[in-house]
Amino acid sequence: LNHPDLFSFLDHLFDQELHPLYGSANLRMVRPWQSTGFHTDSVYMGKLMEKNLPPVIACWIPVTPIPLSLGGLVICRGSNSHPGFQRFRETYGKLDLDEADIGGTGWYTEDPQEVLMLGGRFETAEFQQGDVVFFTMHTVHGSTCNCTERWRLSLDFRIQAESCSSGADEANKGRWSRLRHDPSEFPRTMER
């Protein structure tokens, strides 16, 4: 996460100094015969999505090689701008799970056909350890099924311009992440 080459590349790519939000990465583990449902990260980011703040970018890194059978990351190409996703972006995409008291996974759906009906095209690849995939908070993504007996391991973290000194990332830390399965804190679910 703190490799100088990665942040040197990012600083150069975005022509400004960037920093990881929350100071750490998330370890993602997908067990055998499981997958990750389709969602956008915007619903988890709360106050960091306010229009006056610099954009937040996701960085996804496989910890081990991920062949197709292990259930790698799937991106819906065009979902952040395709006209078919306009209503999706104006409804689900503007949710703040924390403010809306919505618990559970926050996924839009586990059914890829529901996403494809909106437009765009799914893309994935076989990933190698250390590959890096960048995408916006408004990009629909999930994973294919892990059809092996091994766990799929990856890391992800969010970056934002260093100039963002609003404190929004600290204020946004984790009520939903810590308590999303507690119905007294989050009485609603995506299904309701």
Side-chain angles (χ1 to χ4, degrees):
L1 173 62
N2 292 320
H3 198 284
D5 289 346
L6 175 60
F7 278 90
S8 175
F9 168 77
L10 290 169
D11 293 348
H12 181 72
L13 179 67
F14 291 98
D15 198 29
Q16 57 186 311
E17 193 170 334
L18 301 172
H19 70 99
L21 295 173
Y22 314 123
S24 64
N26 303 301
L27 176 62
R28 306 291 183 191
M29 301 180 293
V30 177
R31 34 178 126 186
W33 308 105
Q34 298 283 314
S35 62
T36 302
F38 295 96
H39 62 282
T40 63
D41 288 350
S42 61
V43 301
Y44 307 109
M45 301 309 292
K47 303 289 185 249
L48 289 168
M49 297 308 300
E50 292 179 1
K51 289 188 185 285
N52 63 328
L53 296 176
V56 178
I57 304 293
C59 300
W60 182 87
I61 304 171
V63 173
T64 63
I66 299 179
L68 294 176
S69 61
L70 200 54
L73 177 70
V74 174
I75 300 281
C76 184
R77 184 178 183 170
S79 57
N80 63 324
S81 59
H82 189 284
F85 283 87
Q86 185 65 34
R87 181 159 162 66
F88 172 92
R89 286 191 296 273
E90 292 171 355
T91 54
Y92 170 82
K94 290 195 179 196
L95 275 176
D96 176 339
L97 295 176
D98 214 21
E99 292 284 322
D101 291 332
I102 297 173
T105 63
W107 297 341
Y108 176 70
T109 185
E110 293 183 66
D111 182 354
Q113 291 304 315
E114 277 189 66
V115 176
L116 290 175
M117 288 185 331
L118 301 173
R121 182 177 84 209
F122 284 130
E123 296 192 2
T124 190
E126 293 195 347
F127 298 98
Q128 297 304 311
Q129 181 179 12
D131 285 349
V132 181
V133 179
F134 302 105
F135 53 93
T136 75
M137 296 293 98
H138 303 288
T139 302
V140 175
H141 62 284
S143 78
T144 58
C145 183
N146 176 357
C147 298
T148 73
E149 295 301 323
R150 297 177 27 221
W151 286 64
R152 193 262 283 165
L153 303 175
S154 62
L155 297 172
D156 62 68
F157 62 98
R158 311 294 171 270
I159 55 171
Q160 192 172 42
E162 187 69 45
S163 62
C164 177
S165 58
S166 69
D169 64 327
E170 288 303 313
N172 199 49
K173 260 191 180 171
R175 177 174 162 256
W176 184 87
S177 295
R178 289 180 289 108
L179 302 169
R180 68 181 179 219
H181 298 295
D182 181 345
S184 65
E185 284 288 326
F186 292 94
R188 297 170 47 199
T189 65
M190 292 298 293
E191 290 79 27
R192 290 189 210 159

